[in-house]
């Protein structure tokens, strides 16, 4: 019984997360960070294996959080301090936000297979389909 309990605790604690070095990230993720966050220090890089699925989480010194898939393609950018770099946001989404929510910054953007979600500095969450049409708003 003790052995089983120890095994369960060890498995629960490990959770598939492993701290890795920046140069162990896929090349696409390294290039993305250099392009959009080149002046910022990387604090932590984790490789998260969940069954057959692998993700990479990167934390920058200013609190920005980045998530990448196994190929190094970005999935989520959370930049609550400075906002998401404008060059990273699809032009159609930037235009929609500027027109309908003047003065608001995009603090987070999530990219899914068939949609995008952005969180604005007023805490509204906007959902767009792949054609960049607004499909929902959460407050």
């Amino acid at each position: 019984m003790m052995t089983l309990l120890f095994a369960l605790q060890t498995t629960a604690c490990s959770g598939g997360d492993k701290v890795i070095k920046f140069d162990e990230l896929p090349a696409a993720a390294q290039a993305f960070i250099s392009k959009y966050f080149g002046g910022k220090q990387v604090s932590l890089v984790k490789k998260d294996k969940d069954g057959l699925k692998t993700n990479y989480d990167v934390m920058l010194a200013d609190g920005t959080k980045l998530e990448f898939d196994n190929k190094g393609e970005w999935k989520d950018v959370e930049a609550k301090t400075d906002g998401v770099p404008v060059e990273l946001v699809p032009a159609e989404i930037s235009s929609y936000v500027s027109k309908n929510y003047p003065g608001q910054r995009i603090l987070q953007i999530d990219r899914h297979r068939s949609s995008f979600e952005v969180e604005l500095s007023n805490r509204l969450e906007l959902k767009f389909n792949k054609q960049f049409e607004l499909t929902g708003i959460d407050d």
Side-chain angles (χ1 to χ4, degrees):
M1 182 70 167
M2 273 312 252
T3 306
L4 177 61
L5 183 59
F6 178 77
L8 289 173
Q9 285 178 331
T10 304
T11 303
C13 289
S14 67
D17 286 355
K18 177 183 176 190
V19 175
I20 62 171
K21 296 178 184 173
F22 179 80
D23 61 4
E24 294 177 74
L25 278 171
Q30 291 181 42
F32 177 92
I33 294 167
S34 295
K35 180 177 181 177
Y36 295 107
F37 301 96
K40 303 199 179 198
Q41 181 181 349
V42 174
S43 296
L44 179 69
V45 180
K46 289 191 319 183
K47 181 177 184 177
D48 181 21
K49 289 190 74 116
D50 184 18
L52 298 175
K53 198 172 170 184
T54 300
N55 288 314
Y56 297 90
D57 297 315
V58 178
M59 175 75 83
L60 303 181
D62 70 350
T64 298
K65 298 175 188 174
L66 311 168
E67 184 178 346
F68 301 93
D69 67 15
N70 64 327
K71 296 177 186 170
E73 298 296 322
W74 72 272
K75 293 173 58 175
D76 180 49
V77 175
E78 183 179 328
K80 305 273 184 178
T81 305
D82 297 329
V84 174
V86 175
E87 312 82 38
L88 175 60
V89 179
E92 298 88 346
I93 293 175
S94 284
S95 176
Y96 181 89
V97 169
S98 295
K99 180 180 176 186
N100 295 285
Y101 299 96
Q104 297 299 311
R105 294 180 302 132
I106 295 175
L107 301 181
Q108 182 171 352
I109 184 166
D110 297 335
R111 182 170 68 175
H112 306 284
R113 255 185 270 142
S114 61
S115 65
F116 289 89
E117 291 180 35
V118 297
E119 180 184 335
L120 305 180
S121 49
N122 65 1
R123 301 299 181 221
L124 278 181
E125 292 180 13
L126 308 178
K127 297 177 183 184
F128 298 88
N129 62 21
K130 280 292 187 190
Q131 293 74 38
F132 307 110
E133 298 165 331
L134 184 70
T135 60
I137 299 176
D138 288 334
D139 55 359

